[in-house]
Amino acid sequence: MSREKIDGQLFSYTGPAFHYINEEERHFFAKEPAQFRVNLIGCGMIGMEHMRVATRVGRSAIHGVFDLNERSVKVAKEEFAKITDEDFKVYDSLEAACNDPEVDGILICTPNFTHLDVLKVAIKSGKHIFMEKPMATKLEDAYEITKMAKEYGAVLQIGLQYRYKSIYSEAIHEVLERKAVGEVKMINIMEHRIPFLDKVNQWNKFSKFSGGTLVEKCCHYFDLMNLFAQSRPVRVYANGSQSTNFRDFEFKGEKSDILDSAFVTVEYENGVRAGFNLCMFAPMFHEELLVCGDEGRVKAAEIEDFSENARLRTEMEVFCGQNRPSKTSQPSYPKLIEASGHNGATWFEHIAFADQMAGKKTNSATVEEGFWSVVVGCAAEESVKTGKIIEVAELLKSKGIDL
Ligand SMILES: NC(=O)c1ccc[n+]([C@@H]2O[C@H](COP(=O)([O-])OP(=O)(O)OC[C@H]3O[C@@H](n4cnc5c(N)ncnc54)[C@H](O)[C@@H]3O)[C@@H](O)[C@H]2O)c1
């Protein structure tokens, strides 16, 4: 699909202003037929975001859904009708949704603890698969998925979509492609945000279902860390606690046990050091990345403070001293793309999935990268639990993982 067509499609969502033009007379606003059809497994919060974004991007049409929760299906159906006239097919089993011959791909958007079991069914179809992050809650399961992926002949993309946020996309360009900071030595990432949101059966309040906060949420940041370090993690130390959120929360007689704040340090094989700082009781979303190299420093931040009329704020600084030009900027995507989900990251993740289905190489997260993001998260959770420095090789060995 051409850039012109995508732009036209974007603008046509601004309202019905041009709907009076007959379909056959449209050019800029003409909708090209979708190249692919995909089924959605799990239509909760992120499933519906994928449904909206896939439909708007237009490369992959949502063919049908499967979800265990009737209410999720009902709401998804209502939302789908607002964005397209296409039929909304509801499957009555996972097997049926995965094996429909009319479908090219499967989007797995179920809770973390279900990923491996759902994938085992999906993979039998031989279809292209997109699976949400974190790929698993436990190292053993994440490793099993890497083994399944090695033998898989179709696409298996992991939903580590933060790479596509405008600030990180620009930072990746500056640090890894343009080498603006020279050789990377130190990485610092911070996320301050509001508490975890409600979920079906509140799975994200329990480590056994989510893998723990440092796996569930923070795998995005550990993926970025691993990417900027261009190396494997050797040693992880973390401290953290459930200091504020959900301390009195109980669901079906069980108390929540998830961290809401932590400091994590990671040492890499190539000597890069990295730090991560999490606070989940801040009245805002604030992410910040600092990458320092021997020739410069990149800072990238994304801030949403909920003030009336405030638009997403981004900041980017590339300071290179006497080595090369320095600059400051505010990376962004068109407002409609940013509003479509995760500040535009979901949009570009979908384009990458369609590109991969079309046989193009992309920079979306591979299963191996998904695995290493879970490794850092699990090591950090273990370190918080034991108070010890975790040697990654020993942790992997203790789980029977022989790389
Ligand atoms: N990429 C991101 O930034 C991002 C953001 C949010 C969530 N996620 C991930 O997406 C996944 C889903 O999260 P969510 O926030 O949408 O959760 P959610 O609870 O809002 O929705 C999950 C949906 O899956 C359904 N479901 C549960 N088990 C199922 C099964 N075995 N088969 C079919 N349907 C099933 C539930 O009924 C629910 O409708 C998680 O892995 C989460 O970590 C990723």
Side-chain angles (χ1 to χ4, degrees), residues 22 38 60 95 177 226 251 272 321 329 332 347 363 370:
N22 291 322
V38 295
S60 318
E95 287 73 12
E177 290 161 27
N226 294 344
F251 187 74
V272 169
S329 60
S332 68
W347 183 276
N363 62 347

Side-chain angles (χ1 to χ4, degrees), residues 355-380:
D355 278 348
Q356 289 221 77
M357 288 196 282
K360 283 193 204 154
K361 211 172 148 36
T362 72
N363 62 347
S364 57
T366 61
V367 169
E368 199 184 349
E369 288 170 319
F371 171 76
W372 284 102
S373 70
V374 172
V375 168
V376 179
C378 286

Side-chain angles (χ1 to χ4, degrees), residues 275-335:
F276 174 67
N277 159 342
L278 175 76
C279 168
M280 293 193 69
F281 40 89
M284 58 187 359
F285 288 102
H286 185 134
E287 290 175 28
E288 199 168 293
L289 165 79
L290 288 167
V291 183
C292 298
D294 55 2
E295 294 178 11
R297 176 184 183 269
V298 161
K299 175 183 158 188
E302 185 192 84
I303 303 142
E304 228 177 323
D305 62 15
F306 311 134
S307 310
E308 186 111 4
N309 302 324
R311 199 187 156 183
L312 178 72
R313 200 150 45 91
T314 62
E315 294 164 9
M316 174 105 185
E317 295 173 358
V318 182
F319 284 115
C320 306
Q322 71 279 21
N323 297 305
R324 56 186 65 84
S326 297
K327 62 184 175 188
T328 58
S329 60
Q330 285 98 38
S332 68
Y333 294 126
K335 214 154 105 182

Side-chain angles (χ1 to χ4, degrees), residues 50-189:
H50 285 298
M51 183 179 86
R52 282 192 300 271
V53 172
T55 307
R56 289 187 174 181
V57 170
R59 301 256 318 260
S60 318
I62 299 289
H63 188 77
V65 303
F66 171 69
D67 195 301
L68 297 174
N69 183 29
E70 259 178 49
R71 192 173 166 125
S72 301
V73 175
K74 180 179 171 288
V75 172
K77 189 174 179 182
E78 289 162 9
E79 291 300 307
F80 196 62
K82 291 181 192 162
I83 51 173
T84 172
D85 298 330
E86 287 226 18
D87 288 342
F88 186 82
K89 184 167 182 170
V90 181
Y91 295 88
D92 56 15
S93 74
L94 176 61
E95 287 73 12
C98 291
N99 294 303
D100 187 333
E102 288 192 50
V103 161
D104 309 284
I106 300 165
L107 310 177
I108 302 177
C109 299
T110 56
N112 308 353
F113 67 97
T114 66
H115 287 175
L116 176 60
D117 286 345
V118 173
L119 183 67
K120 279 181 182 165
V121 175
I123 218 161
K124 284 192 193 139
S125 70
K127 295 183 194 294
H128 302 299
I129 298 173
F130 166 88
M131 186 164 75
E132 265 306 341
K133 54 50 56 177
M135 52 198 243
T137 55
K138 291 189 289 202
L139 278 174
E140 300 89 316
D141 292 358
Y143 185 55
E144 192 173 341
I145 293 172
T146 62
K147 288 195 287 186
M148 287 157 80
K150 275 200 185 110
E151 285 148 31
Y152 200 51
V155 174
L156 182 37
Q157 181 176 321
I158 304 297
L160 290 160
Q161 58 156 272
Y162 280 29
R163 297 160 171 236
Y164 294 116
K165 285 191 172 201
S166 60
I167 54 165
Y168 299 127
S169 175
E170 281 297 285
I172 288 167
H173 172 67
E174 291 295 341
V175 174
L176 299 181
E177 290 161 27
R178 197 171 163 243
K179 310 270 182 222
V181 303
E183 198 175 310
V184 172
K185 301 287 182 185
M186 290 177 76
I187 303 162
N188 238 293
I189 302 183

Side-chain angles (χ1 to χ4, degrees), residues 45-46 67 72 112 132-133 199-200 203 216 220 342:
M45 193 216 101
I46 198 73
D67 195 301
S72 301
N112 308 353
E132 265 306 341
K133 54 50 56 177
K199 299 290 163 191
V200 171
W203 60 266
E216 146 56 15
H220 278 305
H342 285 63

Side-chain angles (χ1 to χ4, degrees), residues 176-290:
L176 299 181
E177 290 161 27
R178 197 171 163 243
K179 310 270 182 222
V181 303
E183 198 175 310
V184 172
K185 301 287 182 185
M186 290 177 76
I187 303 162
N188 238 293
I189 302 183
M190 178 179 100
E191 184 190 35
H192 286 189
R193 57 160 282 174
I194 59 171
F196 275 128
L197 307 175
D198 278 350
K199 299 290 163 191
V200 171
N201 283 319
Q202 296 292 2
W203 60 266
N204 61 351
K205 311 301 180 301
F206 302 95
S207 297
K208 65 179 176 186
F209 297 136
S210 73
T213 303
L214 297 174
V215 176
E216 146 56 15
K217 172 72 215 161
C218 307
C219 60
H220 278 305
Y221 302 104
F222 298 139
D223 174 52
L224 290 168
M225 231 179 224
N226 294 344
L227 197 62
F228 284 110
Q230 293 283 291
S231 183
R232 294 267 160 87
V234 175
R235 208 162 285 118
V236 177
Y237 174 68
N239 57 60
S241 70
Q242 184 174 26
S243 75
T244 308
N245 298 343
F246 310 114
R247 286 172 63 88
D248 300 325
F249 178 92
E250 271 190 33
F251 187 74
K252 296 188 176 162
E254 266 194 82
K255 280 175 83 66
S256 168
D257 66 344
I258 48 160
L259 303 174
D260 59 18
S261 48
F263 289 105
V264 181
T265 59
V266 184
E267 288 177 45
Y268 285 89
E269 269 170 12
N270 63 359
V272 169
R273 288 169 201 290
F276 174 67
N277 159 342
L278 175 76
C279 168
M280 293 193 69
F281 40 89
M284 58 187 359
F285 288 102
H286 185 134
E287 290 175 28
E288 199 168 293
L289 165 79
L290 288 167

